[in-house]
């Protein structure tokens, strides 16, 4: 009978291990397993699988997956745990008692890109919840920030463009924007600004200009101007784009750039041609 039970337990254990190997590991933390027969306690690595099951392993090295560190909170507060999901966290220091100092690397493919480091935090000893992703919070803020699209002031105005004459574009530059955020228990600073302007005149010519208000003041002194050589009716598609830049950092830390998309205004600009006629 014992052999049958033992065989059944062995088969069940193998089935669980096989199932675990086929799943993603949402989180792995450390806990203590109690043996009711020997009254002994032993540390184990406990993992939550993507399917919902919880599996215990003798240690981190026994988990059948490549695990990465992550920061979260458990019943006792801030802590770190392991997961098979890709993260931007890396170990900077790992202590004998399981404590760690983790670094946030915005681009793990580039060496030496640690944006900031945590304080010394313990290993999670109960199931953790992931901490807020600071870069995600910053991105949400930047994309929620209302980028005012360009509103070009054209001279001659739309409908009065003429070949051989200068068309001027006056373009107002938004003020630089700064903000302070809190994400994952960290104080963050954000800076957003327009660093340049691109005018695609619609006839194959595109010019880039610095984000300089006086230089883009329009007619008569502005530098954004163009001469159309060929008439076009119903009109050229003229596009004006703000080149935005954004960066963020943990207060007092190194700046991390964000790739912010341009904002563009497109309008139809008809261009006529002056034809001289001799009458008499």
């Amino acid at each position: 009978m014992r052999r049958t039970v033992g065989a059944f337990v062995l088969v069940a254990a193998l089935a669980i291990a096989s199932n675990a190997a086929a799943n993603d590991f949402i989180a792995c933390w450390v806990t203590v397993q109690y043996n009711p027969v020997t009254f002994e306690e032993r540390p184990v690595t406990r993992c939550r699988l993507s399917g919902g099951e919880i599996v215990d392993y003798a240690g981190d090295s026994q988990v059948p997956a490549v695990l990465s560190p992550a920061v979260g909170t458990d019943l006792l507060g801030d802590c770190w745990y392991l997961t098979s999901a890709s993260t931007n966290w890396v170990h900077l220091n790992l202590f004998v008692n399981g404590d760690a100092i983790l670094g946030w690397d915005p681009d793990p493919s580039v060496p030496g890109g640690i944006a900031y480091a945590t304080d010394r935090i313990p290993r999670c000893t109960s199931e953790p919840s992931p901490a807020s992703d600071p870069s995600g919070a910053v991105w949400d803020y930047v994309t929620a920030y209302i980028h005012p699209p360009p509103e070009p002031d054209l001279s001659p105005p739309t409908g009065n463009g003429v070949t051989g004459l200068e068309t001027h574009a006056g373009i107002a530059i938004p003020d630089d924007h700064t903000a302070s955020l809190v994400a994952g228990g960290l104080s963050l600073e954000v800076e957003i600004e327009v660093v340049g302007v691109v005018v695609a005149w619609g006839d194959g010519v595109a010019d880039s200009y610095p984000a300089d208000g006086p230089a883009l003041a329009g007619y008569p002194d502005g530098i954004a101007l163009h001469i159309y050589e060929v008439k076009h009716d119903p009109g050229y598609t003229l596009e004006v784009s703000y080149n935005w830049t954004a960066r963020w950092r943990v207060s007092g830390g190194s700046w991390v750039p964000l790739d912010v998309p341009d904002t563009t205004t497109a309008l139809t600009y008809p261009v006529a041609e002056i034809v001289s006629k001799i009458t008499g």
Side-chain angles (χ1 to χ4, degrees):
M1 182 67 178
R2 286 183 180 176
R3 292 178 113 180
T4 303
V5 172
F8 174 78
V9 171
L10 177 60
V11 170
L14 290 174
I16 292 175
S18 175
N19 185 47
N23 278 273
D24 292 328
F25 291 80
I26 297 175
C28 294
W29 62 99
V30 294
T31 188
V32 174
Q33 190 177 65
Y34 176 72
N35 189 321
V37 177
T38 62
F39 305 105
E40 294 179 343
E41 294 181 342
R42 65 185 181 92
V44 297
T45 296
R46 180 163 292 173
C47 298
R48 170 78 68 179
L49 306 183
S50 60
E53 307 102 309
I54 291 181
V55 180
D56 288 344
Y57 298 93
D60 295 344
S61 62
Q62 302 302 307
V63 181
V66 176
L67 301 176
S68 300
V71 174
T73 56
D74 65 2
L75 295 176
L76 299 179
D78 293 338
C79 58
W80 72 274
Y81 63 97
L82 293 172
T83 175
S84 64
S86 297
T87 77
N88 292 85
W89 295 102
V90 296
H91 281 119
L92 298 181
N93 284 293
L94 190 57
F95 301 91
V96 174
N97 69 344
D99 291 358
I101 297 176
L102 301 187
W104 175 267
D105 187 348
D107 186 357
S109 65
V110 179
I114 302 301
Y116 64 85
T118 66
D119 294 329
R120 178 169 172 167
I121 54 177
R123 179 80 179 266
C124 298
T125 55
S126 57
E127 186 166 8
S129 297
S132 299
D133 177 349
S135 66
V138 171
W139 181 254
D140 289 342
Y141 179 85
V142 171
T143 54
Y145 173 72
I146 305 300
H147 295 7
E151 297 181 359
D153 179 18
L154 300 177
S155 180
T158 301
N160 295 323
V162 179
T163 59
L165 299 180
E166 292 180 343
T167 295
H168 291 252
I171 305 159
I173 305 300
D175 293 334
D176 297 348
H177 180 79
T178 61
S180 297
L181 310 176
V182 175
L186 299 168
S187 296
L188 310 176
E189 300 172 10
V190 181
E191 293 184 352
I192 307 171
E193 64 178 309
V194 172
V195 294
V197 174
V198 176
V199 180
W201 298 99
D203 59 353
V205 177
D207 295 318
S208 298
Y209 305 98
D212 184 328
L216 298 177
Y219 181 85
D221 299 321
I223 63 174
L225 57 90
H226 182 65
I227 297 177
Y228 290 97
E229 302 293 342
V230 179
K231 69 176 183 178
H232 196 294
D233 188 13
Y236 293 102
T237 300
L238 189 152
E239 296 183 345
V240 181
S241 302
Y242 285 143
N243 294 148
W244 292 89
T245 185
R247 62 178 187 170
W248 68 278
R249 67 178 179 178
V250 176
S251 297
S254 301
W255 287 104
V256 180
L258 282 180
D259 185 13
V260 182
D262 295 346
T263 51
T264 300
T265 295
L267 52 87
T268 301
Y269 190 73
V271 175
E273 183 179 35
I274 295 177
V275 178
S276 299
K277 292 185 179 180
I278 299 176
T279 61

